[in-house]
Amino acid sequence: MNLNATLLGEMITFGIFIWFTLRYVWPFIMKAMQEREKTIANGLAAAEKGVQELEDAHRKTAEMLHKARLDAAELIEKAHQRAADMIESAKAQAREEGSRLIELAKGDIAQEREAARHELQRQVSQIAMTAVSKFLGTGVDVRQQQAALDKFVTTLSMKEAS
Amino acid sequence: MVENPASSSEYIQHHLVNLPLNLRNFTLTPDGGFWTLNLDTIGFALFLGISFCLIFRCVAKRATSGVPKGWQNFVEMLVSFVDTQVRETFHGTNKLIAPLALTIFVWVFLMNFMDLLPVDLLPLGARLAGVEHLRVVPTTDPNLTIGMALSVFCLILFFNVKAKGFKGMGKELLHSPFPYLLPLNIVFRLIEEISKPISLSLRLFGNLYAGELIFILIALLPWWTQWLLGVPWAIFHILIVVLQAFIFMMLTIVYLSMAHESH
Protein backbone atom coordinates (compact mmCIF):
# COMPACT_ATOMS: atom_id res chain seq x y z
CA MET A 1 0.00 0.00 0.00
CA ASN A 2 1.88 3.01 -1.21
CA LEU A 3 0.25 6.34 -0.78
CA ASN A 4 1.05 8.90 -3.40
CA ALA A 5 -0.21 12.03 -5.08
CA THR A 6 -3.23 10.12 -6.39
CA LEU A 7 -4.74 10.75 -2.97
CA LEU A 8 -4.61 14.52 -3.44
CA GLY A 9 -5.91 14.18 -6.97
CA GLU A 10 -8.87 12.12 -5.78
CA MET A 11 -9.66 14.59 -3.02
CA ILE A 12 -9.81 17.42 -5.53
CA THR A 13 -11.86 15.33 -7.98
CA PHE A 14 -14.24 14.32 -5.22
CA GLY A 15 -14.68 17.95 -4.19
CA ILE A 16 -15.41 19.01 -7.74
CA PHE A 17 -17.99 16.27 -8.22
CA ILE A 18 -19.71 17.19 -4.96
CA TRP A 19 -19.80 20.83 -6.00
CA PHE A 20 -21.18 19.91 -9.42
CA THR A 21 -23.92 17.74 -7.95
CA LEU A 22 -24.77 20.36 -5.37
CA ARG A 23 -24.91 23.16 -7.90
CA TYR A 24 -26.21 21.65 -11.12
CA VAL A 25 -27.95 18.35 -10.38
CA TRP A 26 -29.64 18.11 -7.02
CA PRO A 27 -31.73 21.31 -6.94
CA PHE A 28 -33.25 20.74 -10.38
CA ILE A 29 -34.30 17.19 -9.72
CA MET A 30 -35.61 18.03 -6.28
CA LYS A 31 -37.57 20.95 -7.67
CA ALA A 32 -39.18 18.79 -10.34
CA MET A 33 -40.03 16.13 -7.78
CA GLN A 34 -41.47 18.58 -5.30
CA GLU A 35 -43.54 20.26 -7.98
CA ARG A 36 -44.88 16.91 -9.09
CA GLU A 37 -45.62 16.01 -5.51
CA LYS A 38 -47.59 19.21 -5.13
CA THR A 39 -49.45 18.62 -8.39
CA ILE A 40 -50.35 15.11 -7.35
CA ALA A 41 -51.43 16.27 -3.92
CA ASN A 42 -53.59 18.98 -5.48
CA GLY A 43 -55.06 16.47 -7.91
CA LEU A 44 -55.90 14.08 -5.13
CA ALA A 45 -57.45 16.88 -3.10
CA ALA A 46 -59.48 17.96 -6.12
CA ALA A 47 -60.63 14.39 -6.70
CA GLU A 48 -61.63 14.14 -3.06
CA LYS A 49 -63.51 17.41 -3.36
CA GLY A 50 -65.17 16.22 -6.56
CA VAL A 51 -66.37 13.07 -4.87
CA GLN A 52 -67.67 15.14 -1.98
CA GLU A 53 -69.47 17.48 -4.35
CA LEU A 54 -70.96 14.59 -6.26
CA GLU A 55 -72.25 13.14 -3.02
CA ASP A 56 -73.70 16.50 -2.06
CA ALA A 57 -75.33 16.81 -5.46
CA HIS A 58 -76.82 13.32 -5.15
CA ARG A 59 -78.19 14.17 -1.76
CA LYS A 60 -79.56 17.48 -2.97
CA THR A 61 -81.21 15.83 -5.97
CA ALA A 62 -82.80 13.24 -3.75
CA GLU A 63 -84.04 15.94 -1.45
CA MET A 64 -85.42 17.99 -4.34
CA LEU A 65 -87.12 14.95 -5.82
CA HIS A 66 -88.69 14.10 -2.52
CA LYS A 67 -89.88 17.65 -2.04
CA ALA A 68 -91.26 17.75 -5.59
CA ARG A 69 -93.20 14.56 -4.96
CA LEU A 70 -94.64 15.96 -1.76
CA ASP A 71 -95.55 19.21 -3.53
CA ALA A 72 -97.21 17.34 -6.37
CA ALA A 73 -99.20 15.21 -3.96
CA GLU A 74 -100.25 18.31 -2.09
CA LEU A 75 -101.26 20.05 -5.33
CA ILE A 76 -103.31 17.08 -6.44
CA GLU A 77 -104.95 16.96 -3.03
CA LYS A 78 -105.74 20.66 -3.23
CA ALA A 79 -107.12 20.28 -6.73
CA HIS A 80 -109.37 17.45 -5.62
CA GLN A 81 -110.53 19.55 -2.72
CA ARG A 82 -111.15 22.51 -4.94
CA ALA A 83 -113.03 20.44 -7.49
CA ALA A 84 -115.23 19.02 -4.75
CA ASP A 85 -115.80 22.51 -3.38
CA MET A 86 -116.72 23.83 -6.80
CA ILE A 87 -119.19 21.04 -7.43
CA GLU A 88 -120.67 21.59 -4.01
CA SER A 89 -121.03 25.33 -4.46
CA ALA A 90 -122.43 24.88 -7.97
CA LYS A 91 -125.05 22.54 -6.58
CA ALA A 92 -125.94 24.95 -3.81
CA GLN A 93 -126.18 27.83 -6.28
CA ALA A 94 -128.38 25.82 -8.60
CA ARG A 95 -130.67 24.87 -5.77
CA GLU A 96 -130.92 28.48 -4.66
CA GLU A 97 -131.56 29.65 -8.20
CA GLY A 98 -134.28 27.07 -8.61
CA SER A 99 -136.05 28.03 -5.46
CA ARG A 100 -135.71 31.69 -6.36
CA LEU A 101 -137.30 31.01 -9.75
CA ILE A 102 -140.11 29.15 -8.09
CA GLU A 103 -140.65 32.04 -5.69
CA LEU A 104 -140.68 34.43 -8.59
CA ALA A 105 -143.20 32.35 -10.48
CA LYS A 106 -145.36 32.11 -7.39
CA GLY A 107 -145.25 35.91 -7.00
CA ASP A 108 -146.20 36.35 -10.65
CA ILE A 109 -149.06 33.97 -10.30
CA ALA A 110 -150.31 35.74 -7.18
CA GLN A 111 -150.08 39.10 -8.95
CA GLU A 112 -151.93 37.81 -11.99
CA ARG A 113 -154.62 36.44 -9.78
CA GLU A 114 -154.94 39.74 -7.91
CA ALA A 115 -155.17 41.61 -11.18
CA ALA A 116 -157.77 39.20 -12.49
CA ARG A 117 -159.75 39.59 -9.33
CA HIS A 118 -159.62 43.36 -9.52
CA GLU A 119 -160.74 43.23 -13.10
CA LEU A 120 -163.56 40.90 -12.22
CA GLN A 121 -164.53 43.10 -9.30
CA ARG A 122 -164.57 46.13 -11.49
CA GLN A 123 -166.61 44.41 -14.13
CA VAL A 124 -169.08 42.96 -11.59
CA SER A 125 -169.51 46.32 -9.93
CA GLN A 126 -170.02 47.94 -13.33
CA ILE A 127 -172.59 45.36 -14.22
CA ALA A 128 -174.25 45.86 -10.90
CA MET A 129 -174.20 49.63 -11.35
CA THR A 130 -175.65 49.35 -14.76
CA ALA A 131 -178.25 46.97 -13.54
CA VAL A 132 -179.18 49.16 -10.58
CA SER A 133 -179.28 52.36 -12.58
CA LYS A 134 -181.53 50.68 -15.07
CA PHE A 135 -183.62 49.41 -12.25
CA LEU A 136 -183.99 52.65 -10.30
CA GLY A 137 -183.89 55.14 -13.11
CA THR A 138 -181.42 57.91 -13.40
CA GLY A 139 -181.86 59.64 -10.02
CA VAL A 140 -179.36 57.66 -8.25
CA ASP A 141 -176.36 59.25 -6.66
CA VAL A 142 -173.73 57.30 -8.38
CA ARG A 143 -171.08 58.19 -5.98
CA GLN A 144 -172.98 57.14 -2.91
CA GLN A 145 -174.14 53.97 -4.49
CA GLN A 146 -170.74 53.19 -5.76
CA ALA A 147 -169.29 53.19 -2.22
CA ALA A 148 -172.05 50.91 -0.97
CA LEU A 149 -171.56 48.66 -3.88
CA ASP A 150 -167.84 48.51 -3.40
CA LYS A 151 -168.39 47.48 0.12
CA PHE A 152 -170.75 44.81 -1.02
CA VAL A 153 -168.36 43.58 -3.66
CA THR A 154 -165.53 43.41 -1.14
CA THR A 155 -167.72 41.29 1.07
CA LEU A 156 -168.50 39.18 -1.91
CA SER A 157 -164.88 38.74 -2.86
CA MET A 158 -164.01 37.95 0.71
CA LYS A 159 -166.68 35.32 0.72
CA GLU A 160 -165.37 33.98 -2.51
CA ALA A 161 -161.82 33.94 -1.17
CA SER A 162 -162.85 32.04 1.86
CA MET B 1 -4.91 -19.28 -17.48
CA VAL B 2 -1.39 -19.76 -16.25
CA GLU B 3 0.22 -23.14 -15.62
CA ASN B 4 3.16 -22.94 -13.24
CA PRO B 5 3.20 -21.32 -9.77
CA ALA B 6 5.88 -18.79 -10.62
CA SER B 7 3.92 -17.34 -13.47
CA SER B 8 0.76 -17.55 -11.35
CA SER B 9 2.22 -15.27 -8.73
CA GLU B 10 3.56 -13.08 -11.50
CA TYR B 11 0.09 -12.90 -12.97
CA ILE B 12 -1.37 -11.87 -9.63
CA GLN B 13 1.38 -9.34 -8.98
CA HIS B 14 0.93 -7.95 -12.42
CA HIS B 15 -2.75 -7.35 -11.82
CA LEU B 16 -2.08 -5.48 -8.61
CA VAL B 17 0.25 -2.84 -9.99
CA ASN B 18 -1.08 0.52 -10.97
CA LEU B 19 -0.19 2.49 -14.03
CA PRO B 20 2.18 5.11 -12.58
CA LEU B 21 3.00 8.58 -13.72
CA ASN B 22 6.10 10.08 -12.16
CA LEU B 23 5.25 13.69 -11.49
CA ARG B 24 8.92 14.66 -11.14
CA ASN B 25 9.88 13.87 -14.70
CA PHE B 26 6.53 12.94 -16.24
CA THR B 27 7.50 9.43 -17.27
CA LEU B 28 5.46 6.28 -16.79
CA THR B 29 7.83 4.95 -14.13
CA PRO B 30 6.91 4.00 -10.56
CA ASP B 31 9.94 5.58 -8.87
CA GLY B 32 8.49 8.99 -8.13
CA GLY B 33 7.92 8.28 -4.45
CA PHE B 34 4.97 10.31 -3.17
CA TRP B 35 4.83 12.37 -6.33
CA THR B 36 3.49 9.53 -8.38
CA LEU B 37 0.07 9.60 -9.90
CA ASN B 38 -1.82 6.36 -10.45
CA LEU B 39 -3.08 7.18 -13.90
CA ASP B 40 -5.47 4.26 -14.09
CA THR B 41 -7.13 5.08 -10.75
CA ILE B 42 -7.41 8.76 -11.56
CA GLY B 43 -8.49 8.06 -15.12
CA PHE B 44 -11.25 5.58 -14.38
CA ALA B 45 -12.45 7.59 -11.39
CA LEU B 46 -12.61 10.73 -13.49
CA PHE B 47 -14.28 8.95 -16.40
CA LEU B 48 -16.94 7.39 -14.17
CA GLY B 49 -17.45 10.55 -12.14
CA ILE B 50 -17.79 12.69 -15.23
CA SER B 51 -20.22 10.18 -16.75
CA PHE B 52 -22.25 10.40 -13.57
CA CYS B 53 -22.19 14.20 -13.64
CA LEU B 54 -23.10 14.45 -17.32
CA ILE B 55 -25.92 11.93 -17.19
CA PHE B 56 -27.40 13.43 -14.05
CA ARG B 57 -26.92 16.93 -15.41
CA CYS B 58 -28.76 16.02 -18.63
CA VAL B 59 -31.61 14.56 -16.63
CA ALA B 60 -31.66 17.53 -14.25
CA LYS B 61 -31.82 19.97 -17.17
CA ARG B 62 -34.73 18.20 -18.78
CA ALA B 63 -36.46 17.28 -15.54
CA THR B 64 -40.16 17.91 -15.75
CA SER B 65 -42.65 17.94 -12.96
CA GLY B 66 -44.98 16.03 -15.28
CA VAL B 67 -44.86 12.31 -15.87
CA PRO B 68 -41.21 11.20 -15.58
CA LYS B 69 -39.81 8.89 -18.23
CA GLY B 70 -36.82 6.60 -18.61
CA TRP B 71 -33.67 8.11 -17.19
CA GLN B 72 -35.52 10.69 -15.16
CA ASN B 73 -37.39 7.91 -13.42
CA PHE B 74 -34.16 6.16 -12.57
CA VAL B 75 -32.41 9.32 -11.37
CA GLU B 76 -35.42 10.38 -9.33
CA MET B 77 -35.53 6.98 -7.71
CA LEU B 78 -31.91 7.39 -6.62
CA VAL B 79 -32.41 10.98 -5.54
CA SER B 80 -35.48 10.22 -3.45
CA PHE B 81 -33.76 7.18 -1.97
CA VAL B 82 -30.76 9.26 -0.90
CA ASP B 83 -32.99 12.08 0.25
CA THR B 84 -34.99 9.70 2.45
CA GLN B 85 -31.81 8.32 4.01
CA VAL B 86 -30.48 11.80 4.70
CA ARG B 87 -33.77 13.01 6.15
CA GLU B 88 -34.00 10.01 8.44
CA THR B 89 -30.42 10.28 9.67
CA PHE B 90 -29.45 13.91 9.53
CA HIS B 91 -31.61 16.09 11.75
CA GLY B 92 -31.38 19.68 10.73
CA THR B 93 -31.22 21.39 7.40
CA ASN B 94 -28.13 21.44 5.30
CA LYS B 95 -27.96 21.84 1.57
CA LEU B 96 -24.66 20.03 1.25
CA ILE B 97 -25.39 16.67 2.87
CA ALA B 98 -27.85 15.21 0.39
CA PRO B 99 -25.95 16.05 -2.83
CA LEU B 100 -22.78 14.84 -1.12
CA ALA B 101 -24.45 11.56 -0.25
CA LEU B 102 -25.77 11.17 -3.80
CA THR B 103 -22.34 11.82 -5.26
CA ILE B 104 -20.72 9.30 -2.94
CA PHE B 105 -23.32 6.65 -3.58
CA VAL B 106 -23.37 6.83 -7.35
CA TRP B 107 -19.67 7.46 -7.84
CA VAL B 108 -18.55 4.70 -5.48
CA PHE B 109 -21.11 2.35 -6.97
CA LEU B 110 -19.84 2.99 -10.49
CA MET B 111 -16.22 2.51 -9.44
CA ASN B 112 -17.10 -0.68 -7.58
CA PHE B 113 -19.05 -1.88 -10.55
CA MET B 114 -15.88 -1.96 -12.64
CA ASP B 115 -15.03 -5.03 -10.58
CA LEU B 116 -17.70 -6.97 -12.44
CA LEU B 117 -15.96 -6.54 -15.76
CA PRO B 118 -13.81 -9.55 -16.62
CA VAL B 119 -10.44 -9.05 -14.89
CA ASP B 120 -8.41 -9.37 -18.04
CA LEU B 121 -10.63 -7.50 -20.47
CA LEU B 122 -9.39 -3.94 -20.13
CA PRO B 123 -5.77 -4.83 -19.16
CA LEU B 124 -5.58 -6.94 -22.31
CA GLY B 125 -6.76 -4.03 -24.40
CA ALA B 126 -4.26 -1.79 -22.62
CA ARG B 127 -1.45 -4.22 -23.32
CA LEU B 128 -2.36 -4.30 -26.98
CA ALA B 129 -2.14 -0.50 -26.87
CA GLY B 130 1.29 -0.76 -25.29
CA VAL B 131 0.41 -0.03 -21.66
CA GLU B 132 1.98 -2.55 -19.28
CA HIS B 133 -0.13 -2.15 -16.13
CA LEU B 134 -3.78 -1.25 -15.71
CA ARG B 135 -6.07 -1.64 -12.71
CA VAL B 136 -9.64 -0.96 -13.69
CA VAL B 137 -11.29 -0.76 -10.25
CA PRO B 138 -10.42 2.60 -8.69
CA THR B 139 -11.79 1.60 -5.28
CA THR B 140 -9.16 -1.15 -4.97
CA ASP B 141 -6.60 1.66 -4.77
CA PRO B 142 -6.28 2.90 -1.18
CA ASN B 143 -5.28 6.29 -2.50
CA LEU B 144 -8.80 6.84 -3.72
CA THR B 145 -10.62 5.51 -0.67
CA ILE B 146 -8.35 7.36 1.74
CA GLY B 147 -8.68 10.48 -0.37
CA MET B 148 -12.45 10.34 -0.14
CA ALA B 149 -12.35 9.51 3.56
CA LEU B 150 -10.01 12.44 4.22
CA SER B 151 -12.40 14.75 2.37
CA VAL B 152 -15.20 13.48 4.56
CA PHE B 153 -12.96 13.97 7.58
CA CYS B 154 -12.40 17.59 6.60
CA LEU B 155 -16.17 18.02 6.29
CA ILE B 156 -16.61 16.47 9.76
CA LEU B 157 -14.22 19.04 11.21
CA PHE B 158 -15.93 21.81 9.28
CA PHE B 159 -19.35 20.77 10.53
CA ASN B 160 -18.10 20.54 14.08
CA VAL B 161 -16.83 24.09 13.92
CA LYS B 162 -19.87 25.32 12.05
CA ALA B 163 -22.39 23.81 14.47
CA LYS B 164 -20.63 24.57 17.75
CA GLY B 165 -18.01 27.19 16.99
CA PHE B 166 -14.39 26.87 18.03
CA LYS B 167 -15.32 27.53 21.64
CA GLY B 168 -18.07 24.96 21.81
CA MET B 169 -15.98 22.39 20.02
CA GLY B 170 -13.08 22.98 22.41
CA LYS B 171 -15.38 22.66 25.37
CA GLU B 172 -16.77 19.41 24.01
CA LEU B 173 -13.26 18.17 23.33
CA LEU B 174 -12.22 18.80 26.92
CA HIS B 175 -15.35 17.88 28.86
CA SER B 176 -16.90 14.85 27.21
CA PRO B 177 -17.40 12.00 27.71
CA PHE B 178 -16.09 12.52 31.28
CA PRO B 179 -16.43 15.95 32.85
CA TYR B 180 -13.04 17.48 33.77
CA LEU B 181 -10.95 14.45 32.77
CA LEU B 182 -9.12 16.58 30.25
CA PRO B 183 -6.22 14.47 28.94
CA LEU B 184 -8.26 11.29 28.77
CA ASN B 185 -11.07 13.09 26.98
CA ILE B 186 -8.71 14.46 24.38
CA VAL B 187 -7.19 11.03 23.75
CA PHE B 188 -10.64 9.47 23.49
CA ARG B 189 -11.81 12.11 21.11
CA LEU B 190 -8.71 11.85 18.96
CA ILE B 191 -9.11 8.08 18.67
CA GLU B 192 -12.78 8.47 17.89
CA GLU B 193 -12.23 11.04 15.19
CA ILE B 194 -9.24 9.40 13.57
CA SER B 195 -10.92 6.01 13.50
CA LYS B 196 -13.66 7.45 11.31
CA PRO B 197 -11.70 8.10 8.10
CA ILE B 198 -9.58 5.00 8.63
CA SER B 199 -12.54 2.65 9.01
CA LEU B 200 -14.40 4.41 6.21
CA SER B 201 -11.56 4.10 3.71
CA LEU B 202 -10.18 0.70 4.67
CA ARG B 203 -13.60 -0.93 4.69
CA LEU B 204 -14.28 0.05 1.12
CA PHE B 205 -10.74 -0.69 0.01
CA GLY B 206 -10.59 -4.06 1.78
CA ASN B 207 -13.88 -5.31 0.41
CA LEU B 208 -13.16 -4.38 -3.14
CA TYR B 209 -9.53 -5.43 -3.03
CA ALA B 210 -10.49 -8.85 -1.72
CA GLY B 211 -13.22 -9.18 -4.31
CA GLU B 212 -10.81 -8.26 -7.08
CA LEU B 213 -8.21 -10.69 -5.75
CA ILE B 214 -10.71 -13.52 -5.75
CA PHE B 215 -11.66 -12.73 -9.33
CA ILE B 216 -7.96 -12.85 -10.21
CA LEU B 217 -7.58 -16.19 -8.42
CA ILE B 218 -10.62 -17.57 -10.21
CA ALA B 219 -9.10 -16.42 -13.47
CA LEU B 220 -6.08 -18.64 -12.69
CA LEU B 221 -8.23 -21.79 -12.66
CA PRO B 222 -8.67 -23.99 -15.73
CA TRP B 223 -11.15 -22.37 -18.08
CA TRP B 224 -13.87 -25.02 -17.66
CA THR B 225 -14.15 -24.45 -13.89
CA GLN B 226 -14.17 -20.70 -14.06
CA TRP B 227 -17.88 -20.21 -14.58
CA LEU B 228 -18.58 -22.55 -11.65
CA LEU B 229 -16.88 -20.16 -9.22
CA GLY B 230 -16.89 -16.97 -11.23
CA VAL B 231 -20.64 -16.77 -11.70
CA PRO B 232 -21.62 -17.21 -8.02
CA TRP B 233 -18.88 -14.83 -6.92
CA ALA B 234 -19.96 -12.23 -9.49
CA ILE B 235 -23.58 -12.50 -8.38
CA PHE B 236 -22.54 -12.20 -4.75
CA HIS B 237 -20.31 -9.31 -5.70
CA ILE B 238 -23.23 -7.37 -7.17
CA LEU B 239 -24.54 -7.26 -3.64
CA ILE B 240 -21.19 -6.20 -2.19
CA VAL B 241 -20.72 -3.50 -4.80
CA VAL B 242 -24.04 -1.84 -3.95
CA LEU B 243 -23.71 -2.50 -0.24
CA GLN B 244 -20.27 -0.93 0.06
CA ALA B 245 -21.38 2.16 -1.83
CA PHE B 246 -24.40 2.39 0.44
CA ILE B 247 -22.32 1.90 3.60
CA PHE B 248 -19.84 4.58 2.58
CA MET B 249 -22.71 6.99 1.94
CA MET B 250 -24.59 6.07 5.10
CA LEU B 251 -21.54 6.35 7.36
CA THR B 252 -20.68 9.70 5.86
CA ILE B 253 -24.18 10.96 6.68
CA VAL B 254 -23.98 9.50 10.17
CA TYR B 255 -20.57 11.02 10.89
CA LEU B 256 -21.66 14.40 9.62
CA SER B 257 -24.86 14.33 11.64
CA MET B 258 -22.83 13.38 14.71
CA ALA B 259 -20.58 16.33 14.02
CA HIS B 260 -23.58 18.56 13.57
CA GLU B 261 -25.19 17.60 16.85
CA SER B 262 -23.45 17.91 20.17
CA HIS B 263 -22.14 14.87 21.94
Side-chain angles (χ1 to χ4, degrees):
Chain A
M1 192 167 101
N2 44 349
L3 291 180
N4 56 32
T6 313
L7 191 148
L8 299 178
E10 291 301 348
M11 283 178 79
I12 295 165
T13 315
F14 186 39
I16 292 171
F17 286 158
I18 293 169
W19 169 78
F20 188 88
T21 312
L22 173 71
R23 178 83 179 71
Y24 294 108
V25 177
W26 188 266
F28 297 89
I29 293 170
M30 275 318 262
K31 197 176 146 231
M33 283 168 73
Q34 277 160 358
E35 268 171 17
R36 185 179 318 119
E37 216 166 273
K38 211 182 286 172
T39 314
I40 292 171
N42 285 348
L44 286 178
E48 186 88 3
K49 208 176 146 201
V51 168
Q52 192 68 40
E53 271 170 7
L54 187 66
E55 228 165 72
D56 282 356
H58 273 311
R59 211 177 45 234
K60 222 174 262 177
T61 339
E63 263 170 28
M64 278 166 79
L65 208 64
H66 184 66
K67 195 167 170 288
R69 278 211 189 101
L70 282 183
D71 282 357
E74 201 179 331
L75 275 178
I76 290 169
E77 186 63 31
K78 262 187 193 163
H80 277 310
Q81 191 72 41
R82 182 136 170 70
D85 282 357
M86 275 168 83
I87 290 168
E88 207 51 48
S89 74
K91 270 184 188 165
Q93 209 176 340
R95 222 175 278 132
E96 204 177 299
E97 184 70 18
S99 61
R100 196 177 66 83
L101 281 177
I102 290 168
E103 283 303 312
L104 213 65
K106 273 184 182 164
D108 278 357
I109 290 168
Q111 223 169 354
E112 293 275 316
R113 208 169 101 183
E114 203 60 31
R117 183 187 290 152
H118 274 292
E119 180 62 25
L120 203 63
Q121 214 172 14
R122 193 184 58 79
Q123 279 177 9
V124 166
S125 64
Q126 209 163 6
I127 292 170
M129 281 301 295
T130 317
V132 168
S133 62
K134 279 226 172 121
F135 186 61
L136 297 177
T138 46
V140 177
D141 184 1
V142 176
R143 230 171 259 168
Q144 217 176 3
Q145 297 306 317
Q146 184 73 44
L149 208 63
D150 277 349
K151 203 180 170 185
F152 172 65
V153 168
T154 309
T155 332
L156 248 180
S157 69
M158 275 171 73
K159 247 185 211 161
E160 195 183 349
S162 65
Chain B
M1 199 181 88
V2 190
E3 295 300 331
N4 60 64
S7 58
S8 290
S9 72
E10 251 172 49
Y11 175 83
I12 295 171
Q13 284 294 326
H14 183 265
H15 269 277
L16 296 179
V17 175
N18 283 105
L19 172 65
L21 173 70
N22 188 335
L23 288 177
R24 291 174 201 275
N25 51 19
F26 288 95
T27 53
L28 296 179
T29 52
D31 48 6
F34 181 79
W35 294 109
T36 307
L37 209 58
N38 293 342
L39 275 185
D40 44 5
T41 303
I42 286 269
F44 280 114
L46 267 178
F47 169 72
L48 294 169
I50 289 171
S51 308
F52 151 69
C53 284
L54 288 183
I55 291 171
F56 274 56
R57 174 64 186 154
C58 272
V59 172
K61 243 185 187 166
R62 274 184 273 153
T64 65
S65 55
V67 181
K69 278 187 212 147
W71 276 99
Q72 197 188 338
N73 242 330
F74 173 69
V75 168
E76 280 189 5
M77 209 178 75
L78 281 174
V79 166
S80 66
F81 164 70
V82 171
D83 195 48
T84 312
Q85 300 297 336
V86 173
R87 266 175 219 284
E88 279 172 7
T89 314
F90 187 84
H91 306 292
T93 50
N94 190 285
K95 274 202 261 174
L96 176 68
I97 306 283
L100 168 74
L102 179 72
T103 312
I104 289 173
F105 183 64
V106 180
W107 195 31
V108 171
F109 167 75
L110 287 174
M111 291 191 290
N112 289 351
F113 190 81
M114 296 299 282
D115 215 1
L116 291 170
L117 294 180
V119 276
D120 273 317
L121 185 68
L122 292 178
L124 188 69
R127 190 177 306 164
L128 291 180
V131 176
E132 186 60 25
H133 297 285
L134 189 74
R135 289 179 70 188
V136 295
V137 191
T139 38
T140 57
D141 185 349
N143 285 306
L144 181 131
T145 59
I146 292 175
M148 286 182 80
L150 278 181
S151 303
V152 171
F153 183 66
C154 293
L155 282 174
I156 291 173
L157 293 182
F158 172 72
F159 269 66
N160 261 314
V161 173
K162 197 183 155 216
K164 299 154 200 164
F166 281 107
K167 217 173 152 187
M169 196 189 160
K171 212 170 145 192
E172 192 180 277
L173 193 67
L174 298 176
H175 295 294
S176 69
F178 308 111
Y180 304 108
L181 269 178
L182 306 188
L184 198 62
N185 282 341
I186 292 175
V187 171
F188 271 17
R189 187 64 188 266
L190 275 179
I191 292 171
E192 188 192 332
E193 292 298 336
I194 288 170
S195 70
K196 283 175 186 170
I198 291 176
S199 71
L200 202 56
S201 58
L202 292 189
R203 178 183 302 107
L204 182 59
F205 163 69
N207 271 281
L208 271 293
Y209 190 81
E212 175 82 342
L213 206 59
I214 287 175
F215 275 124
I216 293 169
L217 291 177
I218 290 171
L220 282 170
L221 295 171
W223 64 269
W224 46 270
T225 57
Q226 286 189 10
W227 64 269
L228 206 66
L229 292 165
V231 169
W233 183 244
I235 292 171
F236 179 59
H237 214 63
I238 293 172
L239 180 69
I240 293 183
V241 157
V242 183
L243 193 66
Q244 287 308 318
F246 176 72
I247 287 174
F248 201 107
M249 175 192 86
M250 220 43 225
L251 283 178
T252 304
I253 301 171
V254 168
Y255 290 156
L256 290 181
S257 81
M258 277 164 71
H260 202 260
E261 291 156 14
S262 55
H263 271 248

